[in-house]
Amino acid sequence: MSKLNLGDKVMIRQLLSIGELREVRKLESKTWGNIDSTPVHQTLTVSKNGGFVLGAYVGGELVGFQYSFPGFDGTSVYLCSHMLAIDPRFRNRGIGEKLKHAQREQARQMGYSLIRWTYDPLESINGYLNIGKLGAVCSTYIENCYGEMNDHLNSGLPSDRFQVEWRINRPEETRRRVGENKVQEAGNACVIQWRVNERGLPVADQIDLSMAEKYDTVYVAIPAKFQHLKEIDISVARQWRLKTRAVFTHYFAGGWEVTNFIKNINQEIPVNFYEMQKSS
């Protein structure tokens, strides 16, 4: 893959050398606080056998990476997008989105048509990127996907995950689909009722699973700043985990899928929304 100059002084390229992959391992440890980061012999072997590692550089410094390997579900081959990490100093600058677009280009060149990955559905920044911007969809919820995780981003809660699908050869599913103007609609058809407690945190209250009988499109609220909420009150975070788990597993079993992410631009409302529709 040739070098990709994607603007904003960010250079993205495929990483193949042992030295480059050692830098990836260091950034992985820095991001998640892992002592047990992915060994270089694994990323190197994957890169020679249908997978790849992409690095994002600013001023010659590795500031982000994306790691993918081949997957097979018994019927078809797809690309499994396993890790994406951005140096904390360079987050919220669109580098993750640039890495995903570079991943799509590389995957197409290698003959893939589908990319799958998992992420924590309560992380708004990831929902906004994966669902709202990239146009991935989700109808699979995995309870405690990775078991107990002790890194600073995941410790203290079950590691529930969305498994999303990005059908990269379908233009209608790769367009930008951010719906900031739909917050009022989302509030009216929201499956989880929520309130703000005395500490200013959004609290998940009642679940209304009958929304499917009233609306063709329903919405699921999640905290806008989940890591901040966890730091202040882990019990409130646990309520969000368990109640969103109940909602998503119920609707996915009924043939619904997550099709969009609604980012709330009103800072006084501390939640964002997933949009769900019945699968066609």
Side-chain angles (χ1 to χ4, degrees):
M1 180 178 180
S2 59
K3 293 182 178 180
L4 299 174
N5 189 341
L6 300 178
D8 299 329
K9 300 180 181 179
V10 177
M11 182 72 72
I12 295 180
R13 59 182 173 83
Q14 189 173 357
L15 308 182
L16 295 168
S17 75
I18 292 174
E20 291 169 335
L21 295 174
R22 282 177 178 160
E23 291 301 310
V24 167
R25 189 174 190 186
K26 291 178 184 177
L27 182 52
E28 178 188 344
S29 294
K30 183 178 181 179
T31 303
W32 285 284
N34 293 340
I35 298 174
D36 246 355
S37 55
T38 309
V40 169
H41 67 76
Q42 181 174 327
T43 51
L44 183 64
T45 302
V46 166
S47 296
K48 295 178 179 179
N49 293 276
F52 53 87
V53 181
L54 300 176
Y57 288 84
V58 174
E61 178 186 2
L62 181 71
V63 300
F65 74 88
Q66 195 290 311
Y67 171 42
S68 302
F69 53 80
F72 180 65
D73 60 10
T75 302
S76 58
V77 175
Y78 57 91
L79 187 69
C80 180
S81 180
H82 186 52
M83 280 191 292
L84 188 151
I86 307 297
D87 187 301
R89 298 170 299 153
F90 291 86
R91 288 175 186 165
N92 302 313
R93 299 189 186 184
I95 295 175
E97 184 176 358
K98 288 178 172 65
L99 278 166
K100 292 301 290 185
H101 286 300
Q103 178 195 38
R104 178 177 60 188
E105 178 182 327
Q106 178 71 3
R108 282 174 170 168
Q109 290 179 15
M110 296 175 70
Y112 292 104
S113 61
L114 174 66
I115 304 176
R116 287 180 178 167
W117 66 93
T118 62
Y119 77 93
D120 187 338
L122 292 180
E123 294 286 1
S124 278
I125 190 169
N126 294 332
Y128 180 51
L129 172 61
N130 296 329
I131 307 295
K133 287 187 172 183
L134 300 178
V137 296
C138 177
S139 60
T140 302
Y141 191 96
I142 306 173
E143 295 184 21
N144 205 23
C145 180
Y146 300 110
E148 182 179 350
M149 302 180 73
N150 295 318
D151 62 272
H152 65 272
L153 292 177
N154 295 288
S155 62
L157 292 177
S159 57
D160 292 19
R161 294 292 185 266
F162 272 179
Q163 178 179 283
V164 301
E165 295 194 344
W166 195 19
R167 298 153 193 157
I168 58 175
N169 290 331
R170 297 184 182 181
E172 72 275 8
E173 293 197 5
T174 57
R175 68 185 185 276
R176 183 179 174 91
R177 300 188 303 172
V178 182
E180 289 92 338
N181 60 337
K182 300 179 71 175
V183 172
Q184 183 63 45
E185 179 183 336
N188 293 336
C190 190
V191 179
I192 297 179
Q193 301 302 309
W194 60 275
R195 60 183 173 82
V196 177
N197 68 10
E198 65 281 357
R199 304 177 75 179
L201 301 175
V203 176
D205 274 338
Q206 300 299 314
I207 296 173
D208 185 358
L209 297 179
S210 69
M211 286 287 181
E213 303 169 6
K214 308 171 188 176
Y215 299 95
D216 295 328
T217 301
V218 300
Y219 300 86
V220 182
I222 65 167
K225 298 179 180 179
F226 187 57
Q227 290 298 325
H228 173 71
L229 185 153
K230 277 179 59 180
E231 291 173 5
I232 297 176
D233 195 330
I234 191 69
S235 64
V236 173
R238 188 172 291 108
Q239 283 185 335
W240 278 105
R241 173 68 84 216
L242 297 179
K243 291 193 175 183
T244 53
R245 174 194 287 181
V247 167
F248 288 123
T249 54
H250 172 83
Y251 276 91
F252 290 167
W256 291 65
E257 66 179 2
V258 169
T259 57
N260 203 1
F261 186 86
I262 313 302
K263 184 179 180 181
N264 187 3
I265 59 175
N266 184 346
Q267 297 298 317
E268 296 180 0
I269 301 177
V271 296
N272 295 314
F273 301 91
Y274 285 107
E275 181 179 291
M276 289 197 298
Q277 296 176 331
K278 198 71 176 283
S279 301
S280 56

